[in-house]
Amino acid sequence: MVAGTDLRRAAEILASSSRAVAFTGAGISAEAGIPTFRGRGGLWETFRPEELATPEAFSRDPRRVWEWYAWRIRKVLSAEPTPAHRVLAEWEAEGRLAGVITQNVDGLHQRAGSRRVVELHGRITQARCTGCYKTLEFEAPPEEVPPRCRDCGSLLRPDVVWFGESLPEVDWRKAAELSRSCDVMIVIGTSAVVYPAAQLPLIAKASGADLIEVNPERTALSKTADVSLRMRASAALTALDKLLRR
Ligand code: OAD
Ligand code: ZN
């Protein structure tokens, strides 16, 4: 149970902010039925990251990697944005939120209506050619795996960041800039252990921003957060939204 005082405190911080930014992880999409990575029921309980989410795994067994991605693409395409995604999109439209930085690859922020979204880890419904680098957007999971490029015949790969790969430079720069310039960062549904992404709330804090954490569990960031709401994303965001509209 969350103390109402924490919710009110978080709402006050947001109400007096002039440049808030959201930083999100898999937990914000958990209620949309998309499994998280860590914790109970998380993907890494059943799958080994190094067998599926690395460039080495892909060169060893592209079919196996693609089968897993096709399964995840199917889940993402049949999911709907949650009330938490929708509240963030509304806040942006109303000028309360300067943008969303997400570690998620599911595209649910954009589908909820968010416009300024930095996707740090890529997008799962997009593939890119390993030969000619052309990208392609899936409207359905690929029927044949591994899929190949129509133009040059090379293997396509998921357009996501794998372990051992660097983040897209432009996106990282945008995310770091948003983190440095915000006055509040609301951190939702991330275990905050995967770097460099997990550095962003620390950059925000070091630049003077307040940190509001929304996560039912304690995380690596909890000791640094100004307020931790131990709630699910949708319950917390709708409660905050209500308080802000009073
Ligand atoms: P994790 O799976 O590590 O963490 C998910 C977090 O969401 C946990 O702290 C949960 O407690 C929390 N959570 C679960 N349900 C929630 C709910 N309903 N509302 C709010 N929070 C909830 O996911 P990330 O931190 O996003 O990287 O993982 C970071 C990166 O690790 C991912 O982007 C991915 C993975 O390897 C790449 O793909 C490069
Ligand atoms: Zn190609």
Side-chain angles (χ1 to χ4, degrees):
M1 192 58 209
V2 171
T5 48
D6 286 341
L7 263 175
R8 277 195 297 276
R9 172 113 194 279
E12 275 162 22
I13 294 175
L14 284 167
S16 60
S17 135
S18 60
R19 200 173 158 79
V21 163
F23 176 60
T24 66
I28 196 173
S29 297
E31 292 163 271
I34 300 174
T36 60
F37 295 93
R38 296 167 189 80
R40 230 175 310 126
L43 290 171
W44 297 153
E45 216 171 52
T46 332
F47 303 100
R48 288 159 59 92
E50 63 275 19
E51 281 175 18
L52 291 162
T54 64
E56 293 75 23
F58 185 68
S59 15
R60 212 164 37 231
D61 196 346
R63 171 183 296 273
R64 176 162 149 72
V65 170
W66 263 113
E67 276 165 357
W68 188 61
Y69 275 91
W71 171 75
R72 288 178 61 205
I73 290 170
R74 186 166 300 118
K75 271 198 180 307
V76 162
L77 288 175
S78 61
E80 290 299 327
T82 68
H85 291 98
R86 296 195 193 284
V87 166
L88 292 180
E90 273 169 37
W91 286 357
E92 181 188 326
E94 294 164 0
R96 279 185 196 283
L97 193 74
V100 177
I101 305 168
T102 189
Q103 300 165 85
N104 299 343
V105 294
D106 55 34
L108 289 185
H109 285 298
Q110 291 90 331
R111 281 175 51 202
S114 288
R115 293 282 165 263
R116 283 193 298 271
V117 183
V118 181
E119 291 177 307
L120 283 178
H121 292 162
R123 181 166 337 155
I124 199 168
T125 51
Q126 194 162 289
R128 86 174 176 257
C129 177
T130 55
C132 69
Y133 303 106
K134 198 169 269 175
T135 57
L136 168 128
E137 183 82 28
F138 290 118
E139 271 149 31
E143 277 166 24
E144 277 180 37
V145 290
R148 289 187 173 271
C149 177
R150 287 213 180 142
D151 295 333
C152 76
S154 307
L155 276 181
L156 295 175
R157 61 160 281 177
D159 197 10
V160 298
V161 177
W162 281 328
F163 288 100
E165 295 184 320
S166 341
L167 269 48
E169 170 118 19
V170 179
D171 300 290
W172 173 256
R173 246 190 279 128
K174 277 192 213 156
E177 176 49 32
L178 278 171
S179 305
R180 268 193 300 273
S181 63
C182 66
D183 57 7
V184 181
M185 182 177 270
I186 177 161
V187 180
I188 308 163
T190 177
S191 57
V193 293
V194 172
Y195 281 80
Q199 192 69 39
L200 294 168
L202 305 177
I203 292 176
K205 184 74 192 164
S207 311
D210 287 321
L211 294 185
I212 300 170
E213 175 179 59
V214 178
N215 198 310
E217 311 279 341
R218 211 184 144 75
T219 73
L221 194 69
S222 299
K223 59 179 184 307
T224 318
D226 295 273
V227 187
S228 287
L229 302 176
R230 295 274 164 258
M231 303 172 74
R232 292 182 176 193
S234 289
L237 274 280
T238 38
L240 286 172
D241 187 56
K242 226 176 178 171
L243 287 171
L244 286 171
R245 285 179 203 293
R246 277 216 182 133

